[in-house]
Amino acid sequence: MSFERLNGRRVLVTGASSGIGEACARRFAAEGSHLVLWARRGERLASLAAELRQHSGIAVTTEVVDVRDRAAVNAAVATLAAADTVPDVLVNNAGLAAGLDLFQEGDPTDWDRMIDTNIKGLLNVSRALLPLMIARGRGHIINIGSTAGHMTYPRGNVYAATKSAVRALTEGLNLDVAGTPVRISSVDPGMVETEFSKVRFAGDEARAKQVYEGFRPLGGDDVADVVAYVAGLPEHVNILDVVVMPTAQRNVYVLHRQTN
Ligand SMILES: NC(=O)c1ccc[n+]([C@@H]2O[C@H](COP(=O)([O-])OP(=O)(O)OC[C@H]3O[C@@H](n4cnc5c(N)ncnc54)[C@H](OP(=O)(O)O)[C@@H]3O)[C@@H](O)[C@H]2O)c1
């Protein structure tokens, strides 16, 4: 499906250096959208940007931004505003799970990383951009939530809490922009094969691989298709929340794995 409406729009994707964010960058580039790509790993952003500029002929700017750093976020947004490149669409994607521990054995450092990135990072970016979108009379914020924000799984405690917060914030922002043309949406995936599990298990590739064994998970591009759909609808249509899962997965507990 292609969305004429996205052609020439400017889209900011946070966490564009991997996984769902990178797939969103590719998907919006294919629609002819201009891109602003943020993440901490600048080399990855630079090579993605070079590839997309060459193949899609779009404008791509990249910036090393840690969304936890409010001053850095505000400075990067001020740069966009000064250059008259305020994005039409913000995909609040940067996020992570750190650890999969019983709460009583959990590491508070992991909690801080998740809360600071998934909740406060999303707040920092949204707070900086939303007033500019309202002033322009145009804008769409799409939050990447999770099925973990709808149903908590064992050992998912703090990660689920952060994604429940994202769900509450999608709802809250929607209410607060009533009367403006700005749209607020959430796309909430189930299991997607990205670097997510590698990050969750602190670089343990073998353990990460096991998460996706015996079934076909979503790819980042499947989620990006849904994000593009949500963004590409006419401006009077506001999708509040989409839950997207692999067909093998029916909720956070029911996952059908083929065994040999
Ligand atoms: N994979 C799944 O099964 C799944 C399911 C539901 C929801 N999600 C959500 O989808 C989103 C994307 O995750 P993914 O699956 O694509 O994982 P991923 O491949 O690990 O990508 C995460 C992205 O977030 C960026 N990021 C992390 N911390 C950041 C920070 N402090 N500042 C800026 N960027 C930061 C990373 O870039 P740098 O490291 O370069 O900064 C990376 O580009 C997350 O919000 C995650 O919670 C994933």
Side-chain angles (χ1 to χ4, degrees):
M1 210 182 287
S2 169
F3 297 96
E4 187 65 25
R5 218 170 265 107
L6 296 175
N7 193 282
R9 293 290 163 94
R10 192 171 312 275
V11 181
L12 166 56
V13 182
T14 68
S17 60
S18 137
I20 295 168
E22 178 183 340
C24 286
R26 293 182 185 284
R27 185 65 172 79
F28 280 106
E31 297 288 350
S33 305
H34 304 302
L35 297 172
V36 181
L37 306 179
W38 290 2
R40 292 165 303 174
R41 287 171 291 179
E43 343 68 60
R44 284 201 186 198
L45 293 180
S47 69
L48 176 63
E51 181 196 326
L52 295 178
R53 276 185 210 109
Q54 189 181 354
H55 295 300
S56 311
I58 51 163
V60 188
T61 59
T62 65
E63 183 97 41
V64 173
V65 179
D66 184 331
V67 295
R68 295 172 296 182
D69 182 343
R70 190 171 297 148
V73 167
N74 288 339
V77 168
T79 303
L80 293 175
D84 201 17
T85 54
V86 172
D88 303 296
V89 179
L90 161 64
V91 183
N92 266 324
N93 163 77
L96 77 160
L100 187 66
D101 299 313
L102 297 174
F103 175 77
Q104 57 273 29
E105 294 168 3
D107 180 347
T109 313
D110 287 341
W111 304 345
D112 287 344
R113 277 177 72 202
M114 291 187 276
I115 292 167
D116 289 350
T117 310
N118 301 357
I119 304 178
K120 292 169 78 177
L122 179 144
L123 290 175
N124 291 338
V125 182
S126 305
R127 178 64 181 84
L129 271 172
L130 188 52
L132 303 178
M133 289 178 165
I134 292 170
R136 293 176 80 217
R138 169 177 184 150
H140 194 166
I141 296 180
I142 303 175
N143 295 326
I144 304 299
S146 170
T147 47
H150 295 259
M151 190 183 265
T152 306
Y153 48 86
R155 298 169 184 263
N157 44 66
V158 176
Y159 178 67
T162 65
K163 290 301 182 176
S164 298
V166 171
R167 193 149 70 94
L169 287 167
T170 301
E171 201 178 323
L173 267 63
N174 244 311
L175 297 173
D176 292 347
V177 297
T180 80
V182 174
R183 296 180 284 177
I184 314 282
S185 305
S186 174
V187 173
D188 299 347
M191 295 175 85
V192 193
E193 189 163 12
T194 61
E195 294 179 15
F196 179 83
S197 293
K198 192 175 148 195
V199 171
R200 170 170 246 173
F201 301 130
D204 184 338
E205 303 249 16
R207 193 172 173 202
K209 200 161 162 269
Q210 278 175 9
V211 172
Y212 309 106
E213 269 168 12
F215 74 103
R216 182 168 178 184
L218 297 174
D221 51 346
D222 297 314
V223 181
D225 278 344
V226 178
V227 173
Y229 175 79
V230 168
L233 290 167
E235 276 162 25
H236 68 288
V237 182
N238 187 23
I239 299 264
L240 299 190
D241 192 9
V242 187
V243 177
V244 51
M245 301 213 276
T247 306
Q249 184 189 15
R250 302 298 163 142
N251 71 16
V252 296
Y253 298 106
V254 179
L255 173 67
H256 182 73
R257 291 184 200 262
Q258 301 283 356
T259 47
N260 296 322

